[in-house]
Amino acid sequence: MGFRVGSDWRAPIAELERLYAGYPQPEDGIPDFTVRLFAARPWRRWLRPAVTLGGDFVLPDAAPLPLAQGLLAAEMAMNLQMALGQRRYLLLHASAVERDGCAVLMTGLSGAGKSTLAALLGARGWRLMGDEFALVDPATGLVHAFPRLVSLKNAAIDVVRAALPEARFGPLLAGTPKGDIRHLVPDAEAVARMAEPAQPALILFPRFGFDAAERGLGPSEVFVRLTQASTNYVALGERGFEAMTRLVREVPARAIDYPDADSAIAQVETLWSAL
Amino acid sequence: MTDQSSDQPGEERGGTTRRRALMLGAVGASAVVSIRPALAQTQASVINCEIPVPDAGRAGSYIAADGSIVPAGTPGAFPPASLAFKGEDVKTALAGGQLPGTTYEQNQAYVKYIRRLQSGTSGFTCFASLQMPRG
Amino acid sequence: MAERLYRAVPADALRIVPLDDFTLIFHRPSGLSHLVTAPAPEILELLEQGPLTRAALLARLGERFELADASVEALDARLGELVATGLVEAA
Amino acid sequence: MERAVSRDATLLVQALRDPTSVAALDAQGWTALIAMARAEQLIGTLAHRLDGVAMPAAAARILADARGSAIEQRRTAVWEAEAARRALAGVDTPVVLLKGTAYAAAGLAAGQGRSIGDLDILMPRRTLDVVERALLDAGWEWVKPDPYDDAYYRHSMHELPPLIHRERDRMIDVHHTILPLTARVTPDAEALIADSIALENGLRVLSPEDMICHAAAHLFADGDLAGGLRNLWDIHCLIGEFGVAGLVDRARRHGLSAAVARAARLAHALYATPVPERWRKLSYTDRLYRRRLLARDGWGRPTRRLTRFGFYLRSHWLRMPPAMLARHLWTKWRKGYRPV
């Protein structure tokens, strides 16, 4: 998935260029989606500059962001293209990591910790496939990677920095609609192997802020939760149904509660080795 | 077409004629859950969407007590809101709360304006999404 | 009104996947998925064999199953749900 | 090349008109074409037109996705019409489908690859109360909480206030004529319904001539011509499929002669629609319409932005081409081009 990003300001583009420096160009030079960051009113380019999100697919009435959060605006706009426009893959709002050709998908509400867990697992020898979207190919059932900047929020920022002292990060974006945000640049392996899909092997529904616990889920509960985590399940029609029922029937799913990152990592590793 | 053979446990099993119990359920109960199309207006985007009062095409106009748009300076009407209202604020106001930075009468007028928003007017999608709580 | 016939969509318009207490039904004409639980799959199965009036359907359900709470109102509620999804058509 | 071709939507119109023209496109040209087609809601139509034409693999994948998406949209639209038919089975007049859903349900060329949003139906005005009741009973809800004091739609518009289905999230617009009652032109709504044509499933569509009349009325009804290239493509396909026999008389009957003639001239000018000789030359005003219709750049941005306020700004076009102004305001930091 490639994007073309245009902006009324230089700064967001410069940040994207720096943070996505090692990424390949879109195949044939033709990106899948166009994103635009623009000033809704001409004077908003200079006077309290506000970035409006535009592109092939837009949400009308989306609130603009201050220019200082231009990088966030760019990431949001790209995610929006995927959420609204993706029709090749079944799109799950989930993070994904891979080991030995098999993938763990982690999905949950905002704040569940899916980005943090993916980043931390990435620090422990797993390949980061993505922290926002997992792309399931209806034809093969394989998960395709979408390893974009990992969006870390609030307390997770320091947790991940401690675990990955060598990693590159974007600027601290303070006071965004989602609190403080800092982006982690995926490591070289995640970028180099982004074209390599993986077999989904475990689906996790993590929940942060509770005593460590885990439980299995019935297939119908998994089905409902995954359709809620997908932005294009219905739009894909029978292909979406095929991909989803395959996941639900073939991939074990667990809900895990965790009080802190270490405990979550231990839970994931335990579940993984029991597969 | 059945993807998996649908066995009916209990139904004439082992040659007995004992019938399987079946409950039709209460009138108010539900035996069907339909998977809804994902709306563009996800929860997060609703909180992040906004409604200008009035819309940009008529910026500067005043809002009369009945919510209609009137020329600037009309006596008894309210000046435009200086900032667009956030989805969350409007949600609260529609539930009987007050829009930030408004007087009681001003709030009433603005809420009436918002309720009258037409498809195609800026703010309408935000407003419409607030009207459709997700299950 | 009293003698409406209830008709199920043709079987080849559906993909049916029993999951657990719920059965997943993909309805091809609409492209929509529905999770249904008892007695909806049983009603659909009976109607697949041919359209029935409400009274006839209730009788057939009673023949096949031990109905603990047979009532026209309850059956109406279930049929109403199925009609709303388009899995059953009332004519 | 890219700078020249992506300044307005000529690139898109050309590709629709002559699919082989895309052979000349480079990567930037393809990128511009796709962005324009998406912005004009013509990506599915374009994908359908270009099916089988040689192109880069990346473009082929994007267009294959668009074709798949159009097929699903079509299924959804036709099902929504069926849901309305079932809900309105108790109303004594049949449901007449309009616009995209009608093209899809009737299997017309205009429906191929077309994006279809709301369901638009035409019902006699006298039935509106019954229709409204039946839809509310069948799961549709007012988009707004208190439409009853919203006199605007009921007295000024040609439709009920919009309703949305609470489970399927699809909007339905119930029209009783095809132009606002406030418009000076009053199409013959009874004739539209009386001459409509039944489909197999009991739903109806307008007669071919009425379809063209309605498409022309619809094209110009919105002052700002939003979605105009798509609406004009509908007209191109309808004329291509049905010809123009009887069209002039029918348009006159609805008071839509000028709209139909302008639509035919524009369709010919942009899409090379086969039309009689008298509709092959653009008037001066037609050229302004063409200018507005093509106001879209290679980033999918609306150009000539002032036209959003409608034609009362037409005089401004003559003094300062809005495209020039818009480009001036918008193009400074356009270089960023990041793959991710």
Side-chain angles (χ1 to χ4, degrees), chain A residues 77-224:
Chain A
M78 286 188 270
N79 287 341
L80 206 52
Q81 304 313 305
M82 293 293 283
L84 301 178
Q86 176 58 247
R87 293 291 181 273
R88 195 170 308 156
Y89 302 107
L90 176 69
L91 186 145
L92 296 176
H93 195 222
S95 64
V97 292
E98 177 261 2
R99 189 186 266 174
D100 305 330
C102 292
V104 180
L105 307 183
M106 293 171 283
T107 181
L109 300 174
S110 181
K114 62 187 171 58
S115 294
T116 314
L117 294 183
L120 294 176
L121 288 165
R124 298 171 58 99
W126 295 73
R127 167 168 67 113
L128 176 75
M129 296 186 76
D131 83 309
E132 185 74 16
F133 296 129
L135 310 173
V136 182
D137 186 341
T140 62
L142 297 179
V143 180
H144 287 252
F146 189 60
R148 297 258 311 288
L149 297 183
V150 179
S151 164
L152 301 168
K153 298 171 198 86
N154 303 314
I157 298 173
D158 285 337
V159 172
V160 173
R161 283 187 67 195
L164 286 163
E166 308 291 308
R168 292 169 58 216
F169 290 85
L172 177 69
L173 306 170
T176 77
K178 292 174 179 173
D180 291 351
I181 288 184
R182 197 155 180 193
H183 292 97
L184 162 72
V185 180
D187 63 18
E189 191 199 13
V191 177
R193 293 175 58 199
M194 66 192 279
E196 227 176 274
Q199 189 72 48
L202 180 62
I203 299 169
L204 294 178
F205 298 93
R207 207 163 58 131
F208 169 70
F210 296 85
D211 288 342
E214 66 155 280
R215 68 178 179 92
L217 303 121
S220 57
E221 185 179 354
V222 175
F223 180 83
V224 170

Side-chain angles (χ1 to χ4, degrees), chain D residues 313-334:
Chain D
L313 278 179
R314 250 186 302 183
S315 58
H316 291 237
W317 293 18
L318 309 181
R319 274 183 293 147
M320 175 159 65
M324 186 184 292
L325 175 66
R327 232 174 294 127
H328 179 75
L329 289 171
W330 285 63
T331 41
K332 282 226 163 145
W333 292 111
R334 288 299 157 192

Side-chain angles (χ1 to χ4, degrees), chain C residues 46-58:
Chain C
L46 280 176
L47 292 179
E48 285 299 347
Q49 295 157 20
L52 294 171
T53 62
R54 187 180 60 184
L57 175 60
L58 192 56

